[in-house]
Amino acid sequence: YKIITIEEGLTKIEFPEYEKVSSDAPVFYNPQMEMNRDISILALQTFQKEQNREINICDLFGGSGIRGVRYKNEINGVGDVYINDISELANEFEEHNIKINHLKDISVHQHDASMFLRSNRGIFDVIDIDPFGTPSPFLDSAGYCARRESLLCVTATDTSALCGTYKEPCIRKYNSKPYKSEYCHETGIRILAGFCALTLSKYAKCIEVLLSHSTEHYMRLYLYVKKGSKKSDESLKNIGYISHCKECLYRETNKGLATPIPETCPECGEKLIHAGPLWLGDIQNSEFISKMIKESENKKLNTKNQLLKLLTSCLNEAESPATFYDVHSICKALKISAPKLDLIFDELENKGFKAVKTHFSPIGIKTDAGINDIKEILLNF
Ligand code: SAM
């Protein structure tokens, strides 16, 4: 093999040259995921500081080992790091990358991901799940393995399933009905979080979402895991449905799996479309994200400008309602041209509504105003 050498953060990583980024590469490395890894450095460091103790980390799908190696090399207060991958060649490069970064207390394992989690119950403070495509088949083992007060990081690259391009893959993998609306990336993240919550609840564990983002072709969740059957029962009250009207763009959310959901739109009488079950609790934690932003001052990260924009956006949308309005879709329905976004925000605020931008869409508005309030504002420009 010809060897490629790259640098992310403070870490040097080597892997065999490949033709294109795909699961067929001898050892997987995707440069487009650098910001995802940089954000993980900030999230894990913030988590470590909050816990105020040494943390043990499991990089479950190592590939080149870049996550595990970076975590050990760039985060303070890390104890043991375990890098796992089913591929022998990946293991060889993981060992090599540990060596060229002169690291100790970091080991390499060759197991199926679920087997590895099941045989190491309760020893990890952080489990990072970064598979090809869907994390769904591994979440049961993560639920079994995860200890109380731990961090579970989950990447999904099967966004077309979560966003509902086709319904069946989402129902199959996440047991949830998606809907391809203007805000389908948010619905997708909520389906993923909901599936994590439901899966973990089997093991009397529950989640708090610390940070979530949908970027390019992947989604990423940082979940704080807590233990207890009462807490889990309580937390599952955040599972519910989003109901959407294709005709007038009205939407509503209903928490609770057993709560009846309306069949028709209260505004125009059309049949509502339902997405879910999904997570209707918070998907951004402002305290945690603020700490991450502060932490970025202490770290060398190549994607810092880009990730700070994203984190600031996630921070701003914390505590805002589920779903957002897409100005272009509403204007299209009203057969008018779209006014400047800032003017709409001003007008919403004048009328006493809260309104914030969202990282999910550059033309999205998260607000407590209803669809008719927004239409009225748009028609009066
Ligand atoms: N975390 C890496 C990074 O940031 O560059 C990328 C990991 S790559 C998306 C997925 C890896 O999972 C591949 O290296 C593959 O060999 C490994 N893999 C696939 N199926 C697995 C399984 N069932 N158990 C463990 N590893 C598996």
Side-chain angles (χ1 to χ4, degrees), residues 105-149:
D105 301 326
I106 170 165
S107 52
V108 167
H109 307 263
Q110 188 186 12
H111 297 281
D112 167 69
S114 288
M115 301 284 276
F116 188 65
L117 289 176
R118 293 217 174 239
S119 48
N120 289 288
R121 189 179 196 184
I123 71 169
F124 309 123
D125 300 288
V126 179
I127 300 173
D128 194 332
I129 303 188
D130 189 38
F132 293 132
T134 179
S136 159
F138 311 105
L139 288 170
D140 260 286
S141 306
Y144 174 82
C145 179
R147 49 172 291 179
R148 66 177 69 232
E149 271 109 60

Side-chain angles (χ1 to χ4, degrees), residues 17 48 51 221 260 279 285 293 310 344:
E17 187 181 37
Q48 186 279 328
Q51 295 295 306
L221 291 179
W279 182 257
N285 179 309
I293 292 174
L310 174 64
I344 308 172

Side-chain angles (χ1 to χ4, degrees), residues 8 23 25-31 33-34 36-37 59-68 71 84-88 90 94 109-116 128-133 138 155 157:
E8 286 188 14
S23 54
V27 173
F28 187 83
Y29 170 78
N30 184 355
M33 286 291 199
E34 180 168 4
N36 179 341
R37 288 183 283 267
D59 175 7
L60 193 57
F61 297 88
S64 64
I66 188 161
R67 283 179 182 272
Y71 295 163
N84 179 68
D85 201 290
I86 204 159
S87 146
E88 193 173 341
E94 289 156 2
H109 307 263
Q110 188 186 12
H111 297 281
D112 167 69
S114 288
M115 301 284 276
F116 188 65
D128 194 332
I129 303 188
D130 189 38
F132 293 132
F138 311 105
T155 311
T157 57

Side-chain angles (χ1 to χ4, degrees), residues 147-275:
R147 49 172 291 179
R148 66 177 69 232
E149 271 109 60
S150 65
L151 182 68
L152 178 61
C153 314
V154 182
T155 311
T157 57
D158 57 337
T159 48
S160 70
L162 287 160
C163 290
T165 306
Y166 304 101
K167 264 196 246 131
E168 292 79 6
C170 188
I171 294 173
R172 209 180 330 113
K173 294 189 270 190
Y174 300 102
N175 308 155
S176 177
K177 195 160 90 46
Y179 177 59
K180 191 148 180 67
S181 64
E182 317 82 80
Y183 51 88
C184 62
H185 286 87
E186 178 168 355
T187 317
I189 278 224
R190 291 183 180 279
I191 287 175
L192 179 61
F195 185 72
C196 291
L198 285 163
T199 305
L200 263 66
S201 75
K202 294 188 238 174
Y203 307 92
K205 288 168 199 169
C206 60
I207 60 161
E208 246 173 58
V209 185
L210 298 175
L211 166 68
S212 63
H213 64 101
S214 164
T215 304
E216 287 155 13
H217 296 294
Y218 70 91
M219 293 178 182
R220 177 83 163 161
L221 291 179
Y222 295 87
L223 307 173
Y224 186 55
V225 178
K226 294 190 291 190
K227 214 174 156 193
S229 44
K230 281 235 173 65
K231 272 190 217 137
S232 302
D233 295 342
E234 200 50 41
S235 153
L236 288 191
K237 290 182 183 159
N238 287 308
I239 301 284
Y241 294 85
I242 295 176
S243 303
H244 180 90
C245 176
K246 249 196 331 204
E247 204 47 46
C248 74
L249 306 180
Y250 167 87
R251 72 286 304 263
E252 70 175 62
T253 58
N254 285 287
K255 284 188 178 181
L257 275 174
T259 314
I261 38 181
E263 279 182 29
T264 52
C265 174
E267 299 293 346
C268 73
E270 273 298 309
K271 210 164 172 273
L272 287 172
I273 304 161
H274 310 293

Side-chain angles (χ1 to χ4, degrees), residues 6-14 37 41 44 57-76 78-84 90-108 128:
I6 58 101
E7 256 183 67
E8 286 188 14
L10 302 172
T11 306
K12 188 164 97 176
I13 293 291
E14 299 192 333
R37 288 183 283 267
I41 296 283
L44 269 63
I57 302 171
C58 172
D59 175 7
L60 193 57
F61 297 88
S64 64
I66 188 161
R67 283 179 182 272
V69 171
R70 286 193 65 189
Y71 295 163
K72 184 71 198 176
N73 199 28
E74 300 175 35
I75 300 173
N76 304 317
V78 172
D80 293 319
V81 173
Y82 303 74
I83 302 179
N84 179 68
N91 283 171
E92 281 172 28
F93 277 86
E94 289 156 2
E95 295 279 12
H96 174 75
N97 287 319
I98 292 170
K99 216 193 243 153
I100 62 174
N101 286 283
H102 315 290
L103 298 174
K104 279 197 309 234
D105 301 326
I106 170 165
S107 52
V108 167
D128 194 332

